[in-house]
């Protein structure tokens, strides 16, 4: 059944609710499942962040329903610092793994990779289903950490040992909660591995006739390279996870040196090194940043080209930039460790490589602006989000130039400058990519258009909101505000910065509220939106040649043939202002 | 630009789509990709082992010729031989000898099982007779046991999974369900397990040199 | 369309806040801090210009090329431009980091002067302790079994060692002005981070390692030390101060400490 | 190397037996090596060198990579080797750990 080309010529849609909607092997159903999982996660993550921001400026406020949610963490309705830290850990973990990794890659990638390259399904449909349900299990295990004695872990999404390795004596949540956290991450590793194998094999083997690598839409390139990053990165994280799990449960001391006295207890560990975890973790952790952002970059490129009605500027350069980012992404993990006690010579080497990765990122930005130059821009909602992505990408990327230099990192490390930086670029920019994808592909996924007016309102409120939240973080970072502080009562210099934090918290409330518009639009349009035509945006890629939503076997049993690249807009001499990828050769004036 | 559109309609290379560039089925490619990923997991563990060993001044070197090295050498022999039987199984299957293939696969499983039994015996010896556990040992370098059990334990898990996997394949082949490529894919996994041992064995057992 | 004006507005506000220094570093108190600020400013200048121009350009194309019924240009790109901006970006980025290497190397690769005052810094959940070698100039023996925080012995000083008996242990870091100080950073439980904003220095305290850090404060005053690496539920309370005293004040303080120790140890 | 898996079928079983013998021989050399007290670097190089050769034999013959298209090798192995080499960037820290150990 898996010979590459004549791959199950026509397959009938499965009957029965379970096989069709729950344990489906259809990449489109799985894509939607992933997307909805991410949608659920993003709202949980956002709720946690709003609670955190609230606690930061009103640490002593009494809110009765806090106690209902967390009887121990918020006894009497007052949130404790440890509850704050566990919210922070869960916010980071949920957002990084279950939103930024899941939505753009597993969600959109699953749905649209086969459609865009002209395949009937992914290469391994059953593994695809398993991968989703493993991810689901990982999310359940992670959320379960809230409900065990001690609550969720408080060591941050990076889980640096010894804090994460010595167990409950290091703080509440470091017991069962932290163990569940690691189990969840291990499950997620397995799921990502299955997903990555599927994506790579699909991209290599199942491209339709004529779909050369250099004709693939940039989204496919981004998913492909992201899958390679997952394949390699998660493998190392799995190794680190195994060691940490052993440290916690089997009494080993991979990450625990001799002479530890935690909470007045002398520990019998000997010989390990906390830095080893940091190396292993960031070996995965930095590529992970690109796993989160690359699909957004690919999507932005496509959306910009579609709505600028102009071919993408420098397609080849864009492809090489994606490849270069993927390659260099593995060479820069040490910049997370400039002040961690790492060998200073290694630090200098890492800093040069870190700056080198700025180059392909700059190429992408220039090419996006080059694409818009001389264009005829249609301001639809997906286009607005793509433009917002470019703006945020520049803002977030620029601050990376500060952090990539070990000299400047000596002050900025672990301040709010870092928080602002990575939220701008891998948080919000990536989320903008997801929003652009949602508004762009919703018609294809659900067969109905989303409401444009609501979409635009959502965009403007969000765009203003995120700048208002995350820009001031850079300012307080420059003033030296350390991150991961539940409140700012203990330090004199932090007291002066409180008004800025108050502003950011209100901006966060505002932005979070604006997301309800999106939620409403999403579910309302699913039922009541205008029926979507086959190709509402007049785009050229293959997913716009099939009905909305596509039938079970995508192309009705006849695989398309591809004749040209993915970005043929405003072609001189053509009848329409665009040429579909599968349109046979037509007379075109040179 | 003109050249983008003037490309010929027929793909110029295998990368042009509509064909598998490696002339192999996707399952095999998928297994190769899994092997790459798994190899990196093992590499990370071995590098972690090296890292910790280098940073430890008095790493114990308790493996003597008898019984540990002898045992481990025997295990290596068993594993290598099971690789040979596996490749014979694939070979037989490729030539359409279904029954013979089942026999070879069963032999491979026997080799795997023997490896696991030998390894378990050695673990028992280390734990019971020598007092080595993941968190303590007579030489007061707890990391010795930790790295040993973590590395060999993960490898042993792979062997056990491999034996079960081959069992499924043997049944499938016996019933005439599976194709030669399915056997070949399972063979890839089995050889990979063998390959990993080729690095664990010298690094963990034979590197009894004082650093 | 409105997007262009929003993008421009944000660009202007951000540039203004940085230019006006509404929120800024505290003034530096050491040579490294002065160099640091210079390098920060030059990086800010370069990146600020890039940032502003990029957002300006984005806004410009949004306004200029909005759909007014014109025909979009059919172009797949321009290789010359591509090469030009790639190399420009490479030169700029690599240049910045090479320029900064000197600043980093100055902190981590220099040898501490011989006359440096040696202080041990110990982090634990959630407090700082500092140990001076005392009149004999030697750090005494310690043993983790003797650690007793309530009894004022966070280091676990072993009183049977004469070199340990005169070690001064405090909860604030006091150093004389204009004197090189060599800190030895160590942690007892989890990772902490030693950060003094005015020194522009930050270094993790990693259990199992004794990490050196050298500085020289040139201005007297009291400066806060916040823990800057997540260390648990009291992370935000892990505060101490760096007190830079005049040489005379420091000598008097040290003597008072020695005197106090001697009295305590009288039977 | 530009051959297809059909060539793997053409290979006789004898080849595999020879490969097996070679692998065993190298294992014996490795075990013997452990009993000569050679300097650390030489020992490590010899052991790892032999292991890499053994691994290469397994990959080439048992795993049939020799009979696949060369492009498969080029697609898979550079990234793996690259990542493994990268992991060795940890080592300077391992030595530093030795240096900065509490005494």
């Amino acid at each position: 059944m898996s010979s590459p080309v004549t791959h199950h010529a026509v397959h009938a849609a499965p009957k029965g609710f379970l096989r069709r909607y729950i344990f489906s092997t259809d990449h489109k159903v799985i894509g939607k499942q992933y997307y909805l999982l991410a949608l659920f996660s993003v709202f949980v993550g956002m709720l946690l962040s709003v609670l955190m921001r609230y606690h930061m400026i009103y640490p002593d406020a009494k809110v009765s329903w806090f106690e209902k949610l967390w009887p121990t963490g918020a006894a009497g309705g007052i949130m404790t610092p440890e509850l704050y830290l566990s919210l922070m850990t869960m916010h980071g973990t949920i957002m990084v793994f279950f939103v930024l990794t899941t939505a753009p890659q597993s969600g959109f990638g699953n749905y649209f990779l086969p459609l865009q390259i002209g395949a009937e399904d992914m290469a391994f449909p059953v593994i695809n289903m398993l991968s989703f349900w493993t991810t689901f299990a990982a999310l359940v295990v992670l959320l379960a950490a809230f409900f065990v004695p001690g609550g969720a872990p408080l060591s941050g999404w990076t889980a640096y040992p010894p804090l994460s390795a010595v167990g409950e004596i290091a703080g509440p949540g470091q017991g069962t909660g932290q163990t569940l956290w690691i189990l969840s991450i291990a499950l997620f590793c397995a799921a990502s591995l299955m997903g990555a194998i599927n994506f790579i094999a699909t991209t290599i083997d199942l491209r339709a006739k004529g779909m050369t690598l250099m004709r693939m839409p940039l989204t496919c390139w981004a998913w492909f390279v992201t899958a390679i990053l997952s394949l390699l990165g998660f493998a190392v994280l799995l190794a680190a996870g195994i060691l940490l799990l052993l440290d916690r449960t089997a009494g080993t001391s991979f990450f625990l040196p001799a002479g530890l006295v935690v909470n007045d207890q002398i520990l019998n560990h000997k010989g390990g090194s906390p830095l080893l975890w940091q190396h292993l973790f960031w070996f995965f952790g930095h590529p992970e940043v690109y796993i989160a952002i690359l699909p957004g970059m690919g999507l932005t490129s496509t959306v910009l080209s579609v709505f600028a009605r102009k071919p993408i500027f420098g397609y080849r350069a864009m492809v090489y930039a994606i490849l270069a980012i993927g390659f260099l992404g593995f060479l820069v993990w040490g910049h997370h460790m400039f002040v961690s006690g790492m060998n200073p010579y290694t630090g200098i080497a890492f800093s040069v490589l870190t700056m080198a990765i700025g180059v392909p990122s700059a190429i992408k930005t220039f090419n996006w602006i080059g694409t818009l130059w001389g264009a005829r821009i249609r301001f639809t909602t997906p286009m607005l989000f793509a433009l917002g992505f470019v703006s945020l990408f520049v803002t977030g990327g620029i601050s990376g130039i500060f952090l990539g230099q070990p000299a400047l990192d000596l002050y900025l490390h672990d301040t709010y400058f870092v928080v602002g930086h990575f939220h701008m670029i891998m948080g919000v920019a990536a989320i903008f990519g997801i929003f652009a994808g949602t508004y762009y592909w919703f018609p294809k996924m659900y067969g109905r258009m989303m409401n444009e007016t609501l979409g635009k309102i959502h965009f403007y409120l969000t765009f203003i909101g995120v700048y208002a939240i995350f820009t001031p973080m850079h300012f307080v970072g420059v003033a030296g505000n350390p991150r991961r502080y539940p409140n700012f009562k203990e330090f004199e210099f932090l007291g002066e910065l409180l008004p800025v934090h108050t502003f950011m918290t209100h901006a966060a409330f505002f932005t979070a509220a604006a997301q309800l518009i999106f939620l409403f639009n999403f579910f309302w349009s699913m039922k009541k939106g205008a029926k979507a035509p086959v190709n509402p945006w007049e785009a050229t890629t293959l997913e716009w040649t099939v009905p909305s939503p596509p039938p079970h076997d995508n192309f009705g049993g006849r695989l398309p043939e591809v004749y040209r690249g993915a970005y043929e807009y405003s072609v001189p001499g053509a009848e329409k202002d665009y040429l579909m990828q599968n349109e046979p050769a037509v007379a075109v004036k040179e | 630009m003109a050249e983008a559109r003037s490309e010929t309609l027929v793909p110029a290379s295998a990368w042009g789509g509509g064909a598998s560039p490696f002339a192999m089925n996707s399952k095999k490619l998928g297994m190769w990709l899994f092997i790459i990923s798994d190899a990196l997991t093992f590499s990370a563990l071995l590098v972690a082992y090296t890292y910790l060993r280098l940073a430890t001044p008095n790493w114990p070197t308790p493996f003597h010729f008898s019984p540990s090295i002898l045992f481990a050498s025997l295990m290596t022999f068993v594993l290598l031989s099971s690789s040979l039987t596996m490749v014979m199984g694939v070979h037989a299957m490729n030539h359409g000898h279904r029954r013979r293939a089942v026999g070879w696969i069963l032999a491979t499983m026997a080799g795997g099982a023997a490896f696991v039994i030998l390894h378990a015996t050695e673990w028992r010896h280390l734990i019971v007779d020598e007092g080595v556990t993941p968190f303590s040992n007579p030489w007061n370098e707890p990391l010795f046991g930790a790295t040993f059990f973590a590395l060999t334990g993960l490898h042993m898990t792979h062997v056990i999974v491999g034996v079960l996997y081959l069992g499924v394949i043997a049944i499938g082949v016996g019933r005439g369900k599976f194709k030669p490529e399915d056997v070949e894919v399972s063979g890839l996994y089995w050889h990979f397990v063998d390959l990993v041992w080729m690095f664990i064995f010298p690094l963990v057992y034979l590197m009894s040199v004082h650093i | 369309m409105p997007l262009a004006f929003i993008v421009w507005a944000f660009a202007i506000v951000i540039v203004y806040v940085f230019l006006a220094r509404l929120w800024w570093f505290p003034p530096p108190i050491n040579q490294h801090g002065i160099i640091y600020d210079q390098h920060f400013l030059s990086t800010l200048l370069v990146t600020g210009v890039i940032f502003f121009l990029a957002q300006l350009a984005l806004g410009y194309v949004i306004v200029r090329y909005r759909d007014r019924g014109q025909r979009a240009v059919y172009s797949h790109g321009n290789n010359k431009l591509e090469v030009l901006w790639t190399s420009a970006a490479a030169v700029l980025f690599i240049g910045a980091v090479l320029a900064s290497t000197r600043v980093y190397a100055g902190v981590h690769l220099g040898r501490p002067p011989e006359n440096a005052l040696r202080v041990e810094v110990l982090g634990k959940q959630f407090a700082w302790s500092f140990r001076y070698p005392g009149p004999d100039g030697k750090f005494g023996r310690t043993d983790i079994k003797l650690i007793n925080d309530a009894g004022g012995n966070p280091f676990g000083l072993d009183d049977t060692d004469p070199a340990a008996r005169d070690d001064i242990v405090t909860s604030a870091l006091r150093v004389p002005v204009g004197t090189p100080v060599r800190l030895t950073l160590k942690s007892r439980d989890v990772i902490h981070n030693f950060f003094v904003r005015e020194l522009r220095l930050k270094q993790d305290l990693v259990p199992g390692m004794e990490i050196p850090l050298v500085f020289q404060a040139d201005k007297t005053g009291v400066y806060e030390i916040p823990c800057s690496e997540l260390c648990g539920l009291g992370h935000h309370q892990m505060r101490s101060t760096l007190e830079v005293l005049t040489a005379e004040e420091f000598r008097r303080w040290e003597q008072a400490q020695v005197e106090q120790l001697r009295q305590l140890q009288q039977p | 190397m530009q051959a297809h898996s059909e060539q793997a079928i053409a290979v006789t079983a004898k080849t595999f037996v020879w490969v097996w013998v070679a692998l065993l021989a190298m294992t014996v050399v490795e075990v013997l090596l452990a009993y000569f007290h050679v300097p650390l670097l030489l020992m490590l190089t010899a052991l790892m060198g032999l292991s890499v050769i053994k691994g290469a034999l397994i990959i080439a013959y048992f795993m049939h990579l020799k009979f696949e298209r060369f492009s498969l090798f080029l697609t898979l192995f550079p990234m793996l080797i690259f990542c493994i080499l990268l992991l060795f960037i940890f080592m300077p820290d391992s030595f530093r750990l030795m240096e900065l150990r509490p005494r």
Side-chain angles (χ1 to χ4, degrees), chain A residues 243-261:
Chain A
L243 297 184
L244 187 57
L245 201 60
L246 287 175
D247 269 6
R248 295 181 52 80
T249 54
T252 59
S253 26
F254 292 107
F255 305 125
L256 296 170
L260 288 188
V261 183

Side-chain angles (χ1 to χ4, degrees), chain A residues 485 491, chain C residues 120-131 149 154-155 169-173 183-188 191-196 203-205 224-229 231 234-241:
Chain A
Y485 273 28
F491 287 87
Chain C
E120 257 188 31
V121 182
L122 177 77
K124 66 147 205 149
Q125 287 178 324
F126 304 97
W128 298 94
S129 307
F130 304 91
R131 173 158 81 130
D149 289 322
F155 283 87
V169 175
T170 62
S171 58
L173 179 57
L183 300 179
T184 303
L185 306 172
K186 51 196 229 180
S187 164
R188 205 170 90 179
I191 301 176
H192 303 279
N193 182 297
F194 178 86
F195 177 38
V196 180
Q203 177 61 52
D204 274 4
L205 286 69
E224 291 181 298
I225 306 175
C227 176
S228 295
E229 182 67 65
C231 60
H235 176 46
H236 63 292
Q237 298 169 320
M238 194 167 156
R239 176 185 187 270
S240 181
T241 49

Side-chain angles (χ1 to χ4, degrees), chain A residues 261 310 314 339 367 373-377 391 395 405 407-408 410-411 413-414 479 485 492-493 568-569, chain C residues 36 39 55 65 67 70 72-74 76 82 85 100 188-189 197 202-204 224 227-229 232 235 239:
Chain A
V261 183
K310 209 172 152 277
V339 304
N367 280 352
W373 204 275
R376 179 187 178 182
I377 302 174
S391 172
T395 311
Q405 302 179 31
L408 297 181
L410 279 176
Y411 179 95
H413 177 87
D414 256 358
Y485 273 28
E492 277 166 38
F493 77 98
E568 293 300 313
Y569 296 98
Chain C
Y36 180 98
H39 188 69
Q55 304 285 9
Y65 297 109
D67 187 355
Q70 82 275 26
V73 180
Y74 181 71
H76 280 281
E82 211 76 64
W85 59 46
S100 80
R188 205 170 90 179
D189 38 33
R197 297 187 307 149
K202 185 171 267 179
Q203 177 61 52
D204 274 4
E224 291 181 298
C227 176
S228 295
E229 182 67 65
H235 176 46
R239 176 185 187 270

Side-chain angles (χ1 to χ4, degrees), chain A residues 2 8 15 27 74 84 148 167 172 185 212 239 257 281 313 316 466 487 509 563-564 569:
Chain A
S2 63
H8 37 64
K15 306 234 158 41
H27 71 101
Y84 170 89
V148 295
I185 296 306
T212 61
F281 181 83
F313 191 92
R316 267 171 198 275
V466 294
N487 62 60
F509 290 160
Y563 300 96
R564 60 180 61 75
Y569 296 98

Side-chain angles (χ1 to χ4, degrees), chain C residues 67-115:
Chain C
D67 187 355
R68 288 174 300 184
Q70 82 275 26
R71 193 168 181 100
V73 180
Y74 181 71
S75 149
H76 280 281
N78 181 329
N79 286 340
K80 263 188 209 145
L81 266 180
E82 211 76 64
V83 171
L84 184 74
W85 59 46
T86 306
S87 27
V91 168
L92 210 60
F93 293 164
I94 305 292
V97 71
L98 291 182
S100 80
T101 301
R102 187 176 51 102
V103 188
Y104 182 63
V107 174
H108 279 293
L109 299 178
R111 288 181 66 82
E114 286 300 316
N115 64 338

